[in-house]
Amino acid sequence: MKAFLSIISLLAAPVMVQTMNAAEVPAKLSGYDFPVGDQLKLGFAVAPGFTPEFGEMQRALIEKINALGEDKIKEFVESYDPTVLIAYRADLWDSVEAYEKYKAEWKKATLQAQAQVAISLQQSGNSCWRFFAVAIDPNTNRQAPVTLSALTYDPSSNTWKSAHGELKASDYKVSEDSVFGAQTGTEWKLEKQDSFAKTTQMLRVSKTTDGKAVFVVYAFSEVSLTSGTPLNQGGYTLIFPVKQAKLDIGAPGSR
């Protein structure tokens, strides 16, 4: 993707700083070139941008999905990932040719930068770690914390802990059918349910198979069990180049 390459090039300006020792980082978080401590790596919060033609095709597809029976709709929703190309199904497309046109428009997607961000890994007591991540205001250079900073990583159990519980690990792998490109990494996820709501929380760290970029993805949702409506939801996708120089800006929170 041209936009993918241009975003990476924006972050390639060299800054002379001391490089980190990757051996200091827990195994499941190593290999991604995250800086440690006071150094921060610059990146972007990004979202996919699609062509108007794809938008029209997507609206037609949604009509097809809504026409399916309740069981099929539920099955589709449970397996649907908006960042991965939907596989061909005869009940969703009029022909293989129509699907191929949909696929061609999908592959024209670009990455659109939404905000500049910075990230590092920091030790958090008791042999645990956390991400220190901030969004940067381009006008004032002031930093605002990003929510994934509230999670704590325990290398001994390979889990992240949040106020909602423990996020457990699974391997993550996606092909070129992902709008963000082929990647491998680890996804940590929490799913729990009480008498009022179902809560899902996810943190994913992955690297593109061409070795050019690292993605950090966070998502959270809380859905009412009585009405089925979202009570709280949000998320973001962060992209960082591999082997980019780090920017030493002093202790976190300093100006």
Side-chain angles (χ1 to χ4, degrees):
M1 295 179 185
K2 291 182 180 179
F4 176 90
L5 295 175
S6 64
I7 285 175
I8 292 298
S9 66
L10 286 174
L11 302 173
V15 180
M16 297 302 294
V17 296
Q18 183 178 1
T19 58
M20 70 175 187
N21 180 359
E24 298 175 359
V25 177
K28 285 295 183 179
L29 298 177
S30 65
Y32 298 103
D33 195 41
F34 289 123
V36 173
D38 294 344
Q39 296 179 4
L40 289 174
K41 173 177 281 193
L42 297 177
F44 284 106
V46 294
F50 296 98
T51 65
E53 291 79 9
F54 180 83
E56 293 177 8
M57 292 179 179
Q58 192 75 347
R59 284 188 286 272
L61 177 62
I62 291 171
E63 291 180 5
K64 290 266 192 180
I65 294 169
N66 289 336
L68 298 173
E70 184 176 340
D71 290 343
K72 286 189 175 181
I73 292 175
K74 182 179 179 182
E75 177 189 351
F76 177 86
V77 170
E78 287 178 349
S79 62
Y80 177 62
D81 183 342
T83 67
V84 178
L85 177 68
I86 300 171
Y88 173 75
R89 287 175 48 161
D91 56 353
L92 295 182
W93 279 275
D94 295 334
S95 65
V96 174
E97 291 76 14
Y99 174 75
E100 289 300 322
K101 290 180 180 178
Y102 177 90
K103 183 177 180 178
E105 289 300 320
W106 168 273
K107 289 185 175 295
K108 294 178 184 178
T110 58
L111 295 190
Q112 299 181 341
Q114 298 178 309
Q116 191 170 50
V117 295
I119 199 168
S120 71
L121 274 171
Q122 297 183 354
Q123 291 183 298
S124 185
N126 297 322
S127 301
C128 292
W129 291 73
R130 72 181 184 107
F131 279 120
F132 175 75
V134 292
I136 303 171
D137 187 319
N139 298 315
T140 64
N141 235 14
R142 292 180 65 86
Q143 307 165 22
V146 175
T147 48
L148 66 84
S149 299
L151 277 62
T152 303
Y153 179 69
D154 184 350
S156 64
S157 59
N158 188 26
T159 58
W160 289 87
K161 292 179 174 61
S162 75
H164 301 278
E166 190 174 78
L167 286 71
K168 297 184 178 180
S170 62
D171 291 336
Y172 177 75
K173 183 177 182 179
V174 68
S175 72
E176 287 291 344
D177 285 340
S178 166
V179 74
F180 298 121
Q183 301 174 40
T184 59
T186 305
E187 180 175 283
W188 291 268
K189 195 170 185 179
L190 170 152
E191 288 185 343
K192 72 175 187 178
Q193 184 173 307
D194 57 26
S195 56
F196 301 104
K198 178 179 180 180
T199 301
T200 303
Q201 192 173 25
M202 183 272 288
L203 174 64
R204 180 191 305 145
V205 180
S206 58
K207 184 163 62 174
T208 54
T209 54
D210 63 10
K212 292 181 179 179
V214 168
F215 283 86
V216 178
V217 180
Y218 175 80
F220 177 84
S221 71
E222 197 171 25
V223 179
S224 169
L225 292 181
T226 55
S227 65
T229 57
L231 302 174
N232 187 11
Q233 62 181 0
Y236 39 82
T237 297
L238 311 181
I239 183 174
F240 303 91
V242 177
K243 297 299 180 185
Q244 177 215 22
K246 289 84 176 175
L247 177 64
D248 192 340
I249 63 171
S254 65
R255 297 289 182 266

